[in-house]
């Protein structure tokens, strides 16, 4: 399974701007761009095979599950990614009694839970069984979150703060389980079992809060510029393979 929430020019991007304008407010001036993206994959595959014969019995079972989840970008090195922007550019903004705030936030969740099971049984005078189970998870998270004041802008907060905040929260989980069981019974009995589990998580976010080429005046408050990137990654892969041959004579 493949799932995508990705950003391209004009697609899945969030912006909040004051540009080339003159703004006067008796209260707050607040710009906020906010993005929330979530993908959850739950995949289970199961394969079972059984054979019985008085002469020769052969049984084989293969189970395979894959998940590819992309939130924000399909490649951590790509410039094409989900963008969240809030800003003031080439503008004059005055708040007479309150604060001026520019806030860009993005929350991304990328979860994949993948299981694969395979069971093969064979009973005969000559019996052979083989089973294999495989899991492969690939997850990518990549976003650009920007809050800024630039372009020769002028801001004046008479009674409050000027705040520029860019914040990202990323939570990525990849859990894979592959279980394979093979068993045979006969005068001649052979059994083979293979289990493989792989998981890969890549996170590449850009979070920027900036003031560039601007004039800021704060009379009775604080100038606050903050950028935070909170990333949590949980990845686990487990594989189990059991093969058993039983000779009845």
């Amino acid at each position: 399974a493949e799932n995508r929430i990705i950003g391209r020019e004009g697609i899945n991007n969030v912006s909040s701007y004051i540009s080339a304008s003159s703004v006067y407010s008796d209260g707050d001036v607040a710009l906020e761009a906010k993005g929330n993206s979530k993908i959850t994959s739950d995949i289970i595959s199961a394969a079972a095979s059984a054979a019985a014969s008085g002469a020769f019995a052969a049984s084989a079972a293969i189970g395979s599950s894959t998940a590819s989840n992309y939130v924000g970008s399909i490649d951590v090195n790509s410039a094409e990614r989900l963008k969240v922007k809030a800003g003031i550019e080439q503008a004059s903004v005055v708040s007479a009694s309150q604060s001026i705030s520019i806030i860009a936030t993005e929350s991304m969740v990328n979860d994949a839970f993948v299981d694969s099971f395979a069971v093969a049984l064979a009973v005969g005078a000559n019996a052979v069984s083989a089973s294999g189970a495989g899991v492969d998870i690939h997850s990518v998270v990549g976003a650009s979150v920007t809050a800024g004041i630039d372009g020769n802008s002028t801001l004046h907060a008479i009674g409050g703060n000027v705040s520029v905040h860019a914040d990202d929260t990323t939570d990525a989980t990849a859990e894979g389980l592959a279980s394979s069981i093979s068993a045979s019974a006969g005068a001649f009995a052979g059994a083979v079992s293979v289990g493989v589990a792989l998981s890969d998580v890549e996170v590449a976010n850009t979070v920027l809060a900036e003031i560039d080429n601007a004039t800021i005046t704060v009379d009775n408050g604080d100038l606050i510029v903050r950028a935070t990137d909170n990333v949590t990654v949980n990845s686990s892969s487990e594989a189990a393979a059991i093969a058993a041959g039983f000779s009845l004579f």
Side-chain angles (χ1 to χ4, degrees), residues 124-125 186-188 246-249:
F188 170 80
F246 301 94
S247 178
L248 302 180
F249 305 97

Side-chain angles (χ1 to χ4, degrees), residues 206-219:
T206 301
V207 183
L208 176 65
E210 66 173 349
I211 297 174
D212 183 25
N213 192 27
T215 301
I216 313 295
T217 303
V218 182
D219 290 344

Side-chain angles (χ1 to χ4, degrees), residues 18-23 88-93 150-155:
I18 294 175
S19 178
S21 303
S22 180
V23 176
I88 295 175
E89 59 182 18
Q90 297 179 355
S92 173
V93 179
D150 57 19
N152 203 29
S153 295
T154 300
L155 276 68

Side-chain angles (χ1 to χ4, degrees), residues 1-114:
E2 181 173 304
N3 304 286
R4 299 184 179 188
I5 302 174
I6 59 176
R8 292 194 177 99
E9 191 65 32
I11 300 175
N12 286 340
N13 295 316
V14 183
S15 298
S16 179
Y17 265 89
I18 294 175
S19 178
S21 303
S22 180
V23 176
Y24 178 88
S25 174
D26 286 331
D28 290 319
V29 177
L31 286 82
E32 182 174 10
K34 186 175 184 179
N36 291 285
S37 303
K38 181 177 182 179
I39 288 178
T40 299
S41 296
D42 288 297
I43 302 171
I44 298 175
S45 69
S49 176
S53 173
F56 177 76
S59 177
I62 297 176
S64 177
S65 297
T66 62
S68 297
N69 286 354
Y70 304 97
V71 178
S73 177
I74 61 173
D75 186 346
V76 293
N77 297 312
S78 174
E80 287 192 340
R81 58 184 56 209
L82 191 151
K83 296 180 176 65
V84 179
K85 297 181 179 180
I88 295 175
E89 59 182 18
Q90 297 179 355
S92 173
V93 179
V94 177
S95 174
S97 60
Q98 299 295 326
S99 299
I100 301 172
S101 60
I102 302 99
I103 300 172
T105 61
E106 172 65 23
S107 174
M108 294 180 289
V109 177
N110 188 339
D111 290 338
F113 306 96
V114 183

Side-chain angles (χ1 to χ4, degrees), residues 117-141:
F117 304 97
V119 178
L121 303 174
V123 178
N126 296 291
V128 177
S129 64
S131 65
V135 168
D136 188 10
I137 303 172
H138 180 55
S139 298
V140 174
V141 179

Side-chain angles (χ1 to χ4, degrees), residues 208-233:
L208 176 65
E210 66 173 349
I211 297 174
D212 183 25
N213 192 27
T215 301
I216 313 295
T217 303
V218 182
D219 290 344
N220 296 294
D222 298 316
L223 173 61
I224 305 168
V225 181
R226 183 189 72 199
T228 61
D229 190 16
N230 298 301
V231 178
T232 302
V233 174

